[in-house]
Amino acid sequence: MIIDTTEIETINSFSKLESLKEAYGIIWMLVPILTLVLGITIGVLVIVWLEREISAGIQQRIGPEYAGPLGILQALADGTKLLLKENLIPSTGDTRLFSIGPSIAVISIFLSYSVIPFGDHLVLADLSIGVFLWIAISSIAPVGLLMSGYGSNNKYSFLGGLRAAAQSISYEIPLALCVLSISLRVIRSSTVDIVEAQSKYGFWGWNLWRQPIGFIVFLISSLAECERLPFDLPEAEEELVAGYQTEYSGIKFGLFYIASYLNLLVSSLFVTVLYLGGWNLSIPHIFVPELFGINKRGKVFGTLIGIFITLAKTYLFLFIPIATRWTLPRLRMDQLLNLGWKFLLPISLGNLLLTTSSQLLSL
């Protein structure tokens, strides 16, 4: 049997073309993920710089000023220092749990960014259960903290991990009930649909005015989820040295540091999406109709405007948790649990009942 050489060359060229198409598809699929990771990294560096500058202003002292202009490279210098430091592991601890814990905390928070819309349909995964996926994923992070505390074989670390788990359980329930109230009002659970439902009346269409009780409960619960003052009981230095971070050094300690700021940024982004209108320009349509659709004119320009509006609202809101850190004293553990179970849970249940009643009456 004689096979023509031209047929063999055609088959080979076709197989090469198919493999190139597959490689191109994989690369094109990774581009938005890597872009999101790069953007999140830059966002975290900006938050660290902002917190240091705002903290310095509140305390009337000089903030970072030597590492780059206005000290903007200080966070990058700190990250480089942690990367080059020695990575110590407790000799009597559980090495596997000790090493896996920080990674679980960071990865679970990173996954939450996949359902956040930064512009008109500019979202990595527009899921019908977007907000509830965030709540489900965020509940994994305390497991990593508990693993880190147990694997350190240190009583301070273990107590810090237990506190992190108890605090997360106490405040995730009110947080989920507030999100459920928003979902009931919009009759959608997609983050994109929730933003679009607030776009009709501009500033007055925000869920902030329709769910004021839910907004306050969500704000307090998100601060507790981020373990920010006055809710930083898992790492209270006066009681637990550094909590679950006590035995960590080098890049693993840096992962916990990054995870706290990642959690703060994702919480602020969800406040923007759920309560502050997301990427929409917050000007009522009846007043300035030509500006109302400014972020829908042209794909590139509209996308950039949407990203700018989302980030502007997010970073303006970030002033609240940053200022709270240097304003309020730390709670005791019993006060923290009482606030979650005896106050926020009944209030969030009452808010859910009011939302359900208003939706039934409007039918």
Side-chain angles (χ1 to χ4, degrees), residues 235-314:
E235 50 189 83
E237 64 272 7
E238 294 93 345
E239 307 166 18
L240 304 179
V241 185
Y244 54 83
Q245 306 175 20
T246 303
E247 298 292 340
Y248 282 90
S249 62
I251 189 59
K252 291 178 181 176
F253 176 81
L255 287 177
F256 282 126
Y257 188 77
I258 292 170
S260 65
Y261 283 100
L262 283 173
N263 209 359
L264 181 62
L265 180 58
V266 78
S267 298
S268 300
L269 282 167
F270 269 102
V271 168
T272 301
V273 168
L274 296 175
Y275 292 97
L276 303 181
W279 67 82
N280 289 304
L281 193 65
S282 301
I283 299 175
H285 185 207
I286 56 175
F287 295 147
V288 194
E290 62 273 9
L291 285 178
F292 184 75
I294 191 171
N295 55 350
K296 295 184 180 179
R297 297 177 183 174
K299 291 184 177 179
V300 178
F301 181 71
T303 300
L304 292 176
I305 290 293
I307 293 173
F308 174 77
I309 293 172
T310 302
L311 294 180
K313 292 177 181 178
T314 300

Side-chain angles (χ1 to χ4, degrees), residues 24-286:
Y24 178 77
I26 293 172
I27 293 172
W28 188 248
M29 183 179 63
L30 292 175
V31 165
I33 298 174
L34 295 176
T35 305
L36 181 63
V37 170
L38 178 63
I40 292 168
T41 306
I42 295 173
V44 167
L45 295 176
V46 172
I47 291 177
V48 175
W49 178 78
L50 273 178
E51 179 163 36
R52 290 179 172 179
E53 288 291 338
I54 294 171
S55 303
I58 292 174
Q59 297 176 336
Q60 295 183 346
R61 58 178 174 82
I62 298 173
E65 59 177 357
Y66 294 109
L70 300 176
I72 58 175
L73 299 179
Q74 185 63 52
L76 194 61
D78 292 343
T80 306
K81 178 185 71 174
L82 288 173
L83 188 63
L84 297 176
K85 278 198 168 187
E86 184 180 2
N87 190 18
L88 301 175
I89 298 176
S91 58
T92 56
D94 191 319
T95 307
R96 289 177 297 178
L97 294 180
F98 186 83
S99 302
I100 294 172
S103 303
I104 291 177
V106 172
I107 292 171
S108 62
I109 298 171
F110 256 119
L111 290 175
S112 303
Y113 286 89
S114 61
V115 295
I116 296 177
F118 292 90
D120 189 16
H121 293 284
L122 185 63
V123 57
L124 199 62
D126 183 13
L127 304 176
S128 59
I129 55 167
V131 287
F132 295 107
L133 179 68
W134 164 56
I135 293 173
I137 292 174
S138 63
S139 63
I140 300 174
V143 177
L145 305 184
L146 187 59
M147 290 169 62
S148 302
Y150 182 78
S152 298
N153 193 28
N154 181 304
K155 61 181 180 180
Y156 295 120
S157 300
F158 187 51
L159 281 173
L162 289 176
R163 282 187 175 188
Q167 183 169 319
S168 175
I169 293 169
S170 301
Y171 286 88
E172 268 182 5
I173 299 173
L175 192 75
L177 291 174
C178 293
V179 173
L180 183 58
S181 299
I182 294 286
S183 182
L184 278 174
R185 203 199 65 76
V186 180
I187 320 180
R188 294 286 189 279
S189 297
S190 167
T191 50
V192 174
D193 293 338
I194 289 173
V195 173
E196 289 179 345
Q198 304 174 67
S199 63
K200 188 175 181 181
Y201 301 108
F203 177 76
W204 302 110
W206 289 0
N207 287 327
L208 172 63
W209 315 118
R210 303 177 183 184
Q211 292 280 325
I213 300 173
F215 174 75
I216 295 171
V217 174
F218 189 94
L219 171 62
I220 298 172
S221 300
S222 61
L223 283 177
E225 283 288 304
C226 297
E227 296 172 8
R228 303 281 298 181
L229 269 168
F231 303 107
D232 64 335
L233 272 300
E235 50 189 83
E237 64 272 7
E238 294 93 345
E239 307 166 18
L240 304 179
V241 185
Y244 54 83
Q245 306 175 20
T246 303
E247 298 292 340
Y248 282 90
S249 62
I251 189 59
K252 291 178 181 176
F253 176 81
L255 287 177
F256 282 126
Y257 188 77
I258 292 170
S260 65
Y261 283 100
L262 283 173
N263 209 359
L264 181 62
L265 180 58
V266 78
S267 298
S268 300
L269 282 167
F270 269 102
V271 168
T272 301
V273 168
L274 296 175
Y275 292 97
L276 303 181
W279 67 82
N280 289 304
L281 193 65
S282 301
I283 299 175
H285 185 207
I286 56 175

